[in-house]
Amino acid sequence: MSGRLLSRDAMRLPNLRLAFRLALREMRGGLRGFYIFLACIALGTAAIAGVNSLSQSITGSIAAQGQELLAGDLRFELNNRQASEAERAFLAEQGQVSVSAGLRSMARLPDGSNQALVELKAVDAAYPLYGAVESEPTAPLGAQLSERDGAYGALVAPLLIDRLGVSVGDEILIGNARLRISGTIAREPDAVSDGFGFAPRLLVSEAALGASGLVQTGSLVEYAYKLKVADPSAVPAIRAEAERAFPEAGWSIRSSRNAAPSLTANITRFSQFLTLVGLTALIVGGVGVANAVRAYLDGKRAVIATFKCLGAPGGLVSTIYLIQILLIASIGILIGLVIGALVPPVAGYFLADVLPVSTSAAVYPSALALAALFGVLTALAFALLPLGRARSVPATALFRDQDIGRARRPAWAYLGGAFASLGAIALLAVVTAEERRISLTFLGAILFAFLVLRGVSWLVQWLAKRAPRVSSPALRLAIGNIHRPGALTPSVVLSLGLGLALLVTLALIDGNLRNQLTGTLPERAPNFFFVDIQGSEIEGFRGLLAREMPKGKIIEVPMLRGRILAFNGEDVAKREVAPEARWVLRGDRGITYAQNIPENSSLVDGAWWPKDYAGEPLVSFSEKEGKELGLKIGDTVTVNVLGRNITARIANFRTVEWESLSINFVMVFSPNTFAGAPHAWLATIIDPAASEAEEAAALKAITNTYPTITSVRVKDALDIVNGLLGQLATAIRAAAAVALVASVLVLAGALAAGNRARLHDAVVLKTLGATRATLIRAFCYEYAMLGLSTALFALFAGGVAAWFVVSRIMTLPSSFLPDVAVGTIIAALILTVGIGLVGTWRVLGQKAAPVLREL
């Protein structure tokens, strides 16, 4: 071997074949010392591979099952009006048409003793064009929805059975129609394309909807015209022709290729967030990679010195150990990819009742390749610096037992390689992201957190170095261990700080949202929303509600629906819009007109129109949404309402208190804009002192007297949102826990890497008379101080981040939660003290003689 090492080829530049052979020989001893390395790489790679594989599995299933999820090849949606004869004739020329109507209404028992909000869907005989409605008991859909003895058949969601206390075969009332429950819905093929509903589904026929009397002037009804064509490749052409032939139709057109855009978009956004969390875990694990490589090379000092003394150039030595590191990283990456590939089928099994599509047990090469690339780049980025330090240490220093980690700065080539790898990680994260601005912000936050954590560790060491002398030997030893050369302080603070800060941020955001939903918000929010109040009913409705809840404040406004088509004549579909404002342009918006400034609003720019204004149509726009859309005073907004395009000029901007849950609108028009337009009314009542019994009595009276008015109890809606928020928070916390697990692994690796120095210190101190109890107290003090410092940073950083998200992005009141603070401090202390003592227990039991002979 020495002859080969001294050969001229080896002296000039690294011989890859020789380096590979020597690397394999050195790995015969196994992977001892690299288990933390493997775990860190495998954990981060598995998170990224699993999240992206699951995302591709779900979105791929949505695309593959698009026709069934849409129940057609094309879906034309109209709000508050049916298609005209010309529009219906055009659709009929293209293929088979199925029509459905959706609205919210109140289902009640015949004796008026109970009622519940439902998502009513009325379908024709052609429904569904693709797929099938599955029910219990099983029977043809037409037979289940048919009319018999004056009662129309209906399929209901099982939840409605529970809420009303009825069973299959019983009768319920909807509007003026009598329905017979013929079964429960097990599966509705196009439920996901219809969108999220706050209430259980009630499926009836078109005839039943007509008999109910629910569809009146201004009623909030969504009509969906599903089209099945002979040649699916003609779908783009049909869509283009529909837009050209009916420019003012105001319909929303969707194809089976985009059957569930909201679901797809939410899954994509959520997967991007989880990918970034997985990347955080991988980068945090990179610190563990650096610690493991440094500890491994430190244990190879004698071998490295021998290589150098035999004439091996520094490049050959570095290549040998770089090959080893990459081979071991490949093992970790492979483990992570296997775990990631198993995520879709496993998650699909547990999410079968939640997901509207069936996921397939397939392998997604692009997701696995992306995760593997992240893993390789992370291993390189954090391994090159320890390798560079090992190369720069001369053989004589290695024989003198100098710690590789305290060697001088690596050569520029190693620094450049490490920074290039980190840059490649950042570039890859941004390029592959759906929302690049979010990725840039996230990566910037991680970089800032690393710099701040480094500063925190330096500050802790600086304070420990200048701490006054204490009388306790154990405490004095603990303070010295914090600031001495080669101390664990930077590794411990860096490893735990990021993971704990992430968990604190999510816990505070979740806690503040829950406080809003279950704390002060219900006290300020209305008790009920009442929808589809006809003009002929408004006076009687107002009087009845005043009698039932005499202490309540009633607010009523006219209500229409409209879709924004253009700003200043420019199609909104061609406009670059900030992500936080896209909801304004998505689908139809509730709009109104008003003579005076609405409650919960105040002007911030421009002027309100005068009384009896009769000029060009004007509109007041919500300030926050208007600025996000890039609008200014004097711009024009074109809105399609009831099949007509109306263009209004922005007269002013106003603040809107969305968090109050009162009646608020993005757009409020001048009264002359909709002069003579048919519309219904929207009303609320606010009575914080009303009991549940009073609310129930009022709801019963309104539903029985005005069966076509829809009542939405705000508390029920808040309960649904709270449940969804809980599920989302659980998923996010589980993902963030991956980063914390990586932090714990890095902490364990850092402690293992420092055990050699601690072993020498413990042996010397025991030789000088220190007892095991004294050393245990010293270690406990040290780990407790480090854990407390890390917890304080996590509380500060997480608190600031949560405050920014809640108060600035969500525009909600933000408060610091003491229980989160206490839990964070306890978790940090348990992790640092617990793992620290477990890692050093073996050190305390070492015999002195063998160690002293090596000094």
Side-chain angles (χ1 to χ4, degrees), residues 80-119:
N80 308 327
R81 76 174 185 91
Q82 297 185 21
S84 65
E85 292 185 7
E87 292 166 345
R88 184 62 187 263
F90 169 81
L91 296 177
E93 291 175 0
Q94 311 305 320
Q96 185 179 1
V97 180
S98 172
V99 185
S100 63
L103 68 156
R104 291 188 179 94
S105 186
M106 302 299 295
R108 64 194 191 280
L109 298 181
D111 61 3
S113 61
N114 199 2
Q115 60 281 315
L117 181 69
V118 295
E119 297 280 351

Side-chain angles (χ1 to χ4, degrees), residues 330-356:
S330 299
I331 297 174
I333 291 171
L334 182 61
I335 294 172
L337 295 181
V338 171
I339 297 174
L342 294 176
V343 167
V346 174
Y349 174 78
F350 288 103
L351 298 176
D353 296 333
V354 178
L355 291 175

Side-chain angles (χ1 to χ4, degrees), residues 26 42 136 144 200 258 278 338 374 383 417 544 593 597 687 765 784 853:
E26 279 222 64
E136 181 62 38
Q144 290 179 313
N258 191 27
V338 171
F374 272 124
L544 176 60
Y593 61 85
I597 301 174
D687 185 3
L765 290 171
R853 280 196 296 267

Side-chain angles (χ1 to χ4, degrees), residues 229-237 257:
V229 299
D231 181 11
S233 64
V235 164
R257 296 181 180 179

Side-chain angles (χ1 to χ4, degrees), residues 592-752:
T592 188
Y593 61 85
Q595 186 69 56
N596 302 311
I597 301 174
E599 292 191 37
N600 303 315
S601 297
S602 58
L603 287 184
V604 293
D605 193 10
W608 198 261
W609 41 82
K611 292 184 178 180
D612 301 323
Y613 174 76
E616 69 170 327
L618 298 178
V619 61
S620 173
F621 219 94
S622 169
E623 181 200 23
K624 180 176 181 294
E625 285 69 28
K627 299 303 182 185
E628 290 171 347
L629 290 168
L631 301 176
K632 61 183 183 299
I633 300 293
D635 287 348
T636 60
V637 180
T638 302
V639 183
N640 184 277
V641 181
L642 297 175
R644 289 181 53 205
N645 289 350
I646 297 174
T647 299
R649 191 170 302 278
I650 297 178
N652 58 71
F653 288 110
R654 71 192 193 287
T655 58
V656 178
E657 298 179 9
W658 298 109
E659 62 274 13
S660 68
L661 293 187
S662 300
I663 299 178
N664 288 306
F665 296 88
V666 173
M667 296 175 290
V668 177
F669 290 82
S670 57
N672 64 311
T673 306
F674 301 111
H679 62 77
W681 291 77
L682 170 68
T684 64
I685 184 166
I686 304 174
D687 185 3
S691 65
E692 289 194 13
E694 291 173 327
E695 289 184 346
L699 179 62
K700 179 180 178 180
I702 293 294
T703 302
N704 290 333
T705 306
Y706 299 102
T708 59
I709 293 179
T710 300
S711 307
V712 181
R713 188 166 180 253
V714 173
K715 183 180 182 301
D716 294 337
L718 290 178
D719 289 341
I720 294 174
V721 174
N722 196 25
L724 294 174
L725 182 64
Q727 296 176 7
L728 185 62
T730 300
I732 292 176
R733 285 183 179 180
V738 175
L740 185 60
V741 171
S743 299
V744 172
L745 290 173
V746 174
L747 174 63
L751 294 173

